[in-house]
Amino acid sequence: MTATFTSTSTGEEDAKIATLLAAFPHDPSLAPLVFIPRFRQRLSILSAWSIPPGSRVLDIGCGQGDSSLVLALELGPDCHVTGIDTAPPSYGTPLTVSESQSKILQSVELGSRLAFYNETDAAGFFSFHKGVKLDAATACHSLFYFPSQLAVACLFRELAGQNIKRVYVAEYDQQDLTFPVTQTPHVLTAKAQAMYFAYKAEADEIRRSSSSSVDDPEKKEEMMPLNVRAAPSIASIISAAKEAGYGLTKKGKFTPKEEYQEGHFEARYVKGERFVKRVREEGRLTREREEEILAVVEEVRRAWEVMEREGGVDVVRCMDVWWGVFELEE
């Protein structure tokens, strides 16, 4: 049977979501399926973090700006949120990152609290904004998209070097070995996509070392990463923070509401023909690497069947979300 979703939101939360929807460019027909659940998820994360009102925050991996927008709303009129992302301004559909962020900045209520910078990471941002005063940095469902574990470690080292006192993180928790059948497809989906990106990066490095060119714009388009990249574990995130001098002062975990279907969208894509075609036609992976990835795709498909048969639903539940607050130790 198909899962049915019921709202448990309060009137206050509904009012916040209405404000966010008014400021965020979106297709109204998709609001109940995509944007309202996404904003509820981020409001839940912000509630757990408890960032002090009026904080000056660097929002890492802001994408089209939804997490930055929620920060700007929740932290109040005295706050300032700077969103950064490595994606180029032209990335994204149906609106590009640049188009979405530009419309957000036009919001009368929230626009003045925000700034966005694309095609930049934390190191790049700080190199052009020397001496900028920030109270905290946030990573809201963004570390999954980092290209490697090393990149996560470099981020924490950069933040520590800039004397950012607190770092707030929220990410999917892959450490539980006893996932419900309704969450298992999402776990395997993240594994398949992380493998794809890692093996493609490995193949590209081999090509570069043999002087192969990837300057063809069509090839560059083919090399655009999927939504999930390195998918670091919570243990590796905590370790990277610790090595940079951050102690974990608060942590928790919650299960996203059923209506939040990001894991379902990802699993549906990975078990479909588009992902399989992309893996087989990549042209850079060895046959062994291809088959290794496609074996995980088959696991996703089987887990989906088990979910329908034993779980009685046809909608994948997202993995639980782990959140933590890191403080720079003296």
Side-chain angles (χ1 to χ4, degrees):
M1 79 183 204
T2 301
T4 58
F5 305 130
T6 57
S7 173
T8 58
S9 63
T10 64
E12 181 182 2
E13 184 181 76
D14 287 341
K16 289 178 179 180
I17 289 173
T19 299
L20 293 166
L21 288 173
F24 191 80
H26 67 283
D27 180 346
S29 67
L30 294 178
L33 180 66
V34 177
F35 298 103
I36 292 175
R38 190 175 292 172
F39 281 133
R40 281 188 182 141
Q41 173 83 350
R42 280 147 179 76
L43 286 168
S44 295
I45 291 169
L46 263 289
S47 176
W49 280 344
S50 299
I51 303 175
S55 294
R56 298 159 295 179
V57 177
L58 182 69
D59 186 27
I60 297 161
C62 65
Q64 294 193 320
D66 47 350
S67 59
S68 300
L69 191 61
V70 175
L71 282 163
L73 175 68
E74 290 293 86
L75 300 186
D78 296 326
C79 80
H80 193 270
V81 179
T82 301
I84 62 171
D85 201 286
T86 57
S90 60
Y91 184 82
T93 184
L95 290 181
T96 66
V97 165
S98 178
E99 290 170 337
S100 179
Q101 293 172 355
S102 294
K103 289 185 179 296
I104 288 173
L105 293 174
Q106 294 171 19
S107 167
V108 174
E109 181 175 352
L110 302 175
S112 62
R113 306 177 193 178
L114 291 153
F116 293 107
Y117 297 90
N118 297 309
E119 291 186 294
T120 187
D121 58 9
F125 172 78
F126 287 118
S127 69
F128 284 98
H129 297 82
K130 299 182 186 300
V132 63
K133 301 297 184 182
L134 293 169
D135 301 307
T138 60
C140 181
H141 285 311
S142 61
L143 297 185
F144 246 41
Y145 305 99
F146 274 48
S148 65
Q149 303 280 357
L150 177 60
V152 175
C154 289
L155 168 67
F156 278 102
R157 288 199 295 268
E158 180 66 31
L159 296 175
Q162 297 296 329
N163 201 34
I164 305 299
K165 298 296 186 182
R166 292 184 179 87
V167 182
Y168 299 84
V169 173
E171 200 48 86
Y172 293 119
D173 185 2
Q174 306 170 78
Q175 296 178 142
D176 191 343
L177 299 179
T178 57
F179 291 99
V181 294
T182 52
Q183 290 181 324
T184 302
H186 188 204
V187 178
L188 294 170
T189 291
K191 178 181 177 181
Q193 294 194 58
M195 287 172 61
Y196 169 85
F197 184 84
Y199 292 161
K200 187 167 71 67
E202 174 186 83
D204 290 341
E205 181 60 33
I206 293 172
R207 293 178 70 218
R208 281 192 292 270
S209 66
S210 60
S211 301
S212 297
S213 173
V214 291
D215 291 332
D216 183 344
E218 292 186 1
K219 290 295 184 183
K220 287 184 177 181
E221 179 66 22
E222 291 174 6
M223 291 170 61
M224 289 182 67
L226 298 175
N227 282 344
V228 176
R229 299 178 77 182
S233 67
I234 301 304
S236 69
I237 293 170
I238 294 173
S239 176
K242 183 178 180 180
E243 290 177 5
Y246 285 97
L248 181 62
T249 58
K250 289 175 60 180
K251 65 178 181 177
K253 190 163 71 169
F254 69 90
T255 301
K257 293 183 174 70
E258 288 182 328
E259 65 177 0
Y260 184 68
Q261 296 188 50
E262 302 296 325
H264 178 78
F265 302 146
E266 291 284 353
R268 185 174 61 186
Y269 170 66
V270 165
K271 82 182 187 72
E273 292 304 317
R274 286 176 56 205
F275 180 68
V276 172
K277 181 178 179 181
R278 188 169 185 178
V279 172
R280 290 199 181 281
E281 296 183 358
E282 186 65 38
R284 291 187 289 278
L285 304 182
T286 65
R287 177 57 61 87
E288 180 182 10
R289 293 302 201 199
E290 285 182 7
E291 295 306 320
E292 190 175 351
I293 296 169
L294 295 178
V296 181
V297 172
E298 284 303 314
E299 290 186 58
V300 174
R301 291 171 176 168
R302 289 195 296 271
W304 190 294
E305 293 172 357
V306 171
M307 175 190 73
E308 292 183 321
R309 183 175 64 253
E310 298 181 9
V313 296
D314 60 3
V315 176
V316 176
R317 291 293 301 271
C318 283
M319 286 180 272
D320 288 356
V321 173
W322 179 93
W323 61 267
V325 179
F326 296 93
E327 292 195 17
L328 190 60
E329 297 173 337
E330 299 296 334

